[in-house]
Structure formats: C-alpha cells, structure tokens
Amino acid sequence: MFRHFFGLAMGISVRYLPSHAIAQEAVNDSFLKIFEQLPRQLAGLHSFKAWMRALVVRTAIDYFRKERKNYQATSLDACHDSYTAADEVADGQSVEEILRLLDKLPPVWKVVFNLYEVEGYSHEEIGKMLDISTSSSRVYLARAKECLRKMITIQNGSH
C-alpha cells in the first residue's frame, strides 16, 4: 500500500510544505495514521483514496502550522520583486509551470490557494485549519491570485 500510494501522498504534501524533507516526514506520519486508523474506518469507508487524500492534506497542514513560525510575512510587492523570470514559458501555462510559480508564493498564500482552488475547501474551513480568520483566508487567496497573474504576465512578456 505504501509503495502504491506514496507518489500521491508526496504530491499532496509538497504542495503544502516548504521542503522535500518536511514533506517526506508528513507522508511518513500520514501512513502511520492510515495504518492505525484504517481498521476502524473500513466499515464506513466509501473511497479509500478520498479518505487517504483528506488525511494526508490534514497531516500536511499540521506540519505547515508547526513550521509557520519559520516563515516570514511578505507583502505582495515582496512576492513580485522576488520573482525572476528566468524560465521562459509559452502563452499557455502548463501544470508544471503553474506549480513552479506557486512555489514562489509566500507559504501561507500557497497553502490557502491549494486548499481553496485545488482541494475545494471553503474559506471558513481553511480558517479553522490554519487558525486564521475567514477574511484572512480570502485576502491570502486574492493576493496569491494577483501575484500569480503578475508572474504569468512577466513570463509571457519576457519572450
């Protein structure tokens, strides 16, 4: 099971965590939780993959909250200024290019963006998960989207 679902779990964790090493820790912890909780969950489990995905996301968010004290608060200008358009991309952004741009966002913005746009959580749910207000979640999402738009504009204009 570990080998089969490792890639999925790691893919989820790296979207939320700042380093591969921390993501690996979160994946390992996720699998410990999966193996511990699975016997109790089997009776009511409709989709193992969906349950596992939610567990990995929650574990990654727990790790994110523990690491958050190490992140610096950055403004939209700082995000924009720190971006360098070294990689030229085509007008249509690929998934890999968008993921690289997401990695350039401040960590909290990236996490809120992923939780809202990729995982489909509401701002209220994100606020509870990250221990922030609903309005802060909305602001972080708006800033992330604006920063991504600016980075895409810079990249597309750099050819």
Side-chain angles (χ1 to χ4, degrees), residues 111-124:
V111 168
V112 170
F113 182 89
N114 278 312
L115 288 171
Y116 188 84
E117 294 294 341
V118 178
E119 303 295 338
Y121 287 99
S122 69
H123 287 293
E124 291 77 18

Side-chain angles (χ1 to χ4, degrees), residues 23-131:
Q24 178 71 52
E25 283 182 45
V27 167
N28 290 340
D29 193 23
S30 294
F31 276 101
L32 288 173
K33 290 177 183 178
I34 289 167
F35 293 133
E36 176 185 291
Q37 295 177 20
L38 189 57
R40 292 189 307 268
Q41 298 293 329
L42 278 177
L45 199 59
H46 298 293
S47 168
F48 172 78
K49 196 171 178 181
W51 172 75
M52 185 198 99
R53 180 182 191 85
L55 190 144
V56 172
V57 168
R58 285 192 308 273
T59 303
I61 294 303
D62 289 345
Y63 274 77
F64 176 80
R65 280 197 308 257
K66 283 189 241 175
E67 293 293 317
R68 184 169 37 192
K69 65 184 176 291
N70 299 324
Y71 306 141
Q72 296 175 349
T74 44
S75 69
L76 184 55
D77 293 334
C79 172
H80 178 69
D81 293 343
S82 69
Y83 173 70
T84 58
D87 300 328
E88 291 188 10
V89 292
D91 287 339
Q93 307 302 120
S94 73
V95 172
E96 293 79 19
E97 291 159 342
I98 296 295
L99 290 174
R100 275 198 306 274
L101 294 177
L102 277 172
D103 282 338
K104 297 178 186 302
L105 293 175
V108 175
W109 297 6
K110 177 183 171 184
V111 168
V112 170
F113 182 89
N114 278 312
L115 288 171
Y116 188 84
E117 294 294 341
V118 178
E119 303 295 338
Y121 287 99
S122 69
H123 287 293
E124 291 77 18
E125 292 169 316
I126 295 168
K128 287 177 186 167
M129 290 170 103
L130 299 179
D131 197 26

Side-chain angles (χ1 to χ4, degrees), residues 9-21:
M10 193 64 180
I12 293 167
S13 290
V14 297
R15 281 202 327 258
Y16 293 99
L17 298 166
S19 76
H20 190 80

